[in-house]
Amino acid sequence: MTKKGERAVVRGLKDVAAAETKISFVEPKGFLYYLGYNIDDLVGRVVYPEVAFLLIHKRLPNRQELDQFNACLISEMKLPERMVESIRATPKSCHPMDILRTEVSRLGECDPENNDLSEAANLRRATRLVARVPTIVATIHRVRLDKPIPVPREDFSFTENFLYMFKGSPPEEAETDVLHRLMILQADHGFNASTFAARVTASTNSDMYSAVTSAIGTLKGPLHGGAGEKVMEMLDDIGLEEHVEEYIQGLLDENKKIMGFGHRVYKAEDPRTKHLRGIVRNLCYRDRTNSLCNKCSKIEKIVHDRKKIYPNLDFYSAVAMDALDVPKEFFTPFFASSRISGWVAHVIEQYEDAVLLRPSSKYVGEFGRKFIPIEQR
Ligand code: CMC
């Protein structure tokens, strides 16, 4: 409060700590920690399900626990038939994020232990969501292509199965490796907007599916997870490499935002960027990836020179997903397929905190307006 009854507004909640968390720490100088582990120590050394286990159970699994977790994820991947039917009934003009948001909400209807809100049931629900969000995404893609939906294979890892179900053929080892790294980098990120939305919903003691549905709606926006699709639209729109300078300078002259740049917390380079740069450089034997990478390097330099800002997660992850042959409208659904592990971990932590997240506002509207009945208006 400032004066009597007057509240200080922190616009955009910038730098406001809304709760305590042990799950991840976004350090403005350019570091990211999951449960105390620097992501630089995890990427390339662990697989994605290890990170999902870490976020949900707050510790790394041993070999046996990881094998069990992976098997459990695979056994939960298959969707109830009525969900597949519902996806088939959706017009193909719908954006995959809209379908994903609806189908995650429907997962709540299909939950086998709907009335059990115990901690143990929530852990099982969290695992089911980590398993099924990627399957919903893969099913949306297969249905849009009018192609069969592969049944998850027990001889494949969870991440391999995601690509297998999405593409319809067994992925190459190198592709699965890229996806593990990408999913690890996308898994969690402090109180980002979608995670915060999930926690607000969970703070009312609403169920996990409702919380994740809130998160998906929030991730969709182009200032958050929707940025990746916009990055690819921009890269395609630029056309030839030699048009980069004019195109980007033109946007900056008009004070337009360059998608995939800037960050609310990082004041230095986003610590995920160096890993993503490495991933896409390794894929530059592909002509299209090479050309996209060249454009990206030029854009990075121009934007940094003019605005002193850096690429964020969505910039090079767009190029990585393109190299995996993921169509751009599926970039945000892929992001959701990884961030689900962070969302459910935060929802569980919010239940533990057991406090309603409900800010106040500063009223700047009118008082004492004279009421006029409808007949006289
Ligand atoms: N292009 C050009 N200028 C920018 C950009 C950008 N992408 N981002 C920030 N700026 C400038 C902005 O114009 C402002 O300059 P000035 O102080 O001269 O007016 C300054 O940097 C601060 O920007 P802001 O918008 O007030 O910062 P914010 O913390 O409110 O916004 C952001 C953060 C991520 C919404 C913003 O950087 C942005 O809109 N970026 C583009 C969209 C994007 O890439 N989103 C992905 C976010 S990170 C990954 C994720 O969560 O999905």
Side-chain angles (χ1 to χ4, degrees):
M1 295 262 191
T2 47
K3 278 189 277 170
K4 188 169 172 253
E6 208 179 277
R7 297 184 164 95
V9 173
V10 181
R11 196 156 172 271
L13 300 179
K14 198 171 180 175
D15 296 329
V16 171
E20 293 184 344
T21 182
K22 290 182 178 164
I23 299 171
S24 61
F25 177 45
V26 181
E27 149 71 56
K29 287 181 191 150
F31 299 95
L32 173 59
Y33 298 87
Y34 294 164
L35 277 300
Y37 296 99
N38 189 322
I39 56 151
D40 295 346
D41 292 330
L42 299 176
V43 181
R45 296 168 79 184
V46 296
V47 290
Y48 165 71
E50 244 169 306
V51 167
F53 186 102
L54 170 69
L55 293 168
I56 296 170
H57 296 279
K58 304 184 175 75
R59 62 181 178 81
L60 283 169
N62 62 30
R63 169 60 57 200
Q64 192 193 2
E65 287 170 328
L66 178 60
D67 290 346
Q68 274 170 1
F69 186 61
N70 198 51
C72 179
L73 288 174
I74 294 167
S75 71
E76 291 284 3
M77 282 183 102
K78 198 163 181 305
L79 295 182
E81 197 46 43
R82 73 192 186 93
M83 284 188 63
V84 179
E85 286 315 313
S86 148
I87 294 172
R88 282 194 205 285
T90 313
K92 286 192 177 149
S93 55
C94 283
H95 193 283
M97 277 304 277
D98 294 334
I99 311 175
L100 177 64
R101 186 190 54 218
T102 302
E103 294 309 323
V104 164
S105 179
R106 197 181 310 280
L107 267 184
E109 296 168 26
C110 305
D111 190 310
E113 40 190 357
N114 223 340
N115 295 320
D116 187 350
L117 295 180
S118 66
E119 199 184 324
N122 273 331
L123 283 173
R124 289 192 292 275
R125 210 165 269 131
T127 307
R128 265 200 297 282
L129 273 156
V130 169
R132 288 189 178 176
V133 168
T135 320
I136 296 173
V137 172
T139 305
I140 297 169
H141 183 50
R142 302 302 298 165
V143 165
R144 284 157 87 92
L145 292 175
D146 279 326
K147 297 273 185 207
I149 303 152
V151 177
R153 282 172 49 166
E154 282 177 16
D155 58 326
F156 282 175
S157 71
F158 170 67
T159 313
E160 217 170 359
N161 264 313
F162 177 22
L163 265 187
Y164 169 56
M165 292 183 77
F166 190 83
K167 288 161 95 81
S169 57
E172 288 170 19
E173 211 179 311
E175 292 176 313
T176 308
D177 180 62
V178 167
L179 191 59
H180 275 297
R181 287 167 195 259
L182 189 61
M183 291 183 87
I184 290 168
L185 292 166
Q186 292 177 331
D188 197 43
H189 207 233
F191 270 42
N192 61 88
S194 56
T195 299
F196 184 56
R199 290 190 71 132
V200 170
T201 305
S203 82
T204 69
N205 285 349
S206 186
D207 65 284
M208 198 177 277
Y209 297 99
S210 298
V212 172
T213 305
S214 303
I216 291 174
T218 310
L219 185 77
K220 185 188 169 201
L223 294 188
H224 189 10
E229 182 175 345
K230 299 285 174 202
V231 167
M232 194 47 67
E233 276 174 17
M234 173 179 76
L235 292 173
D236 284 338
D237 201 31
I238 288 172
L240 299 171
E241 249 172 84
E242 45 269 38
H243 297 160
V244 167
E245 175 87 28
E246 193 189 340
Y247 188 100
I248 299 296
Q249 297 287 13
L251 288 181
L252 292 173
D253 289 345
E254 289 175 40
N255 271 332
K256 295 224 171 98
K257 286 207 168 157
I258 312 297
M259 300 315 281
F261 279 83
H263 202 273
R264 176 56 72 77
V265 182
Y266 295 123
K267 302 297 167 226
E269 185 175 271
D270 184 324
R272 300 166 294 183
T273 299
K274 59 181 176 299
H275 295 286
L276 290 162
R277 249 195 235 107
I279 291 171
V280 297
R281 279 198 185 131
N282 279 338
L283 297 165
C284 277
Y285 60 88
R286 295 168 55 111
D287 287 345
R288 176 168 162 82
T289 308
N290 189 39
S291 158
L292 291 172
C293 275
N294 291 343
K295 286 191 231 179
C296 286
S297 306
K298 285 190 179 167
I299 297 172
E300 256 200 80
K301 183 162 175 359
I302 299 166
V303 176
H304 190 261
D305 286 352
R306 285 260 317 245
K307 301 290 293 188
K308 302 285 170 275
I309 53 173
Y310 300 91
N312 56 50
L313 171 77
D314 292 302
F315 193 58
Y316 281 107
S317 64
V319 182
M321 285 186 274
D322 182 89
L324 290 176
D325 294 322
V326 176
K328 60 178 178 291
E329 65 272 23
F330 280 91
F331 287 3
T332 321
F334 259 64
F335 191 167
S337 300
S338 328
R339 185 56 59 88
I340 182 64
S341 53
W343 288 333
V344 293
H346 279 274
V347 167
I348 291 169
E349 188 177 59
Q350 187 60 46
Y351 289 147
E352 288 161 2
D353 198 15
V355 63
L356 176 72
L357 290 172
R358 199 290 189 201
S360 62
S361 56
K362 177 181 174 182
Y363 179 67
V364 294
E366 295 179 51
F367 291 99
R369 297 181 80 180
K370 189 172 175 328
F371 175 75
I372 300 167
I374 195 159
E375 299 76 22
Q376 294 164 31
R377 268 176 238 155

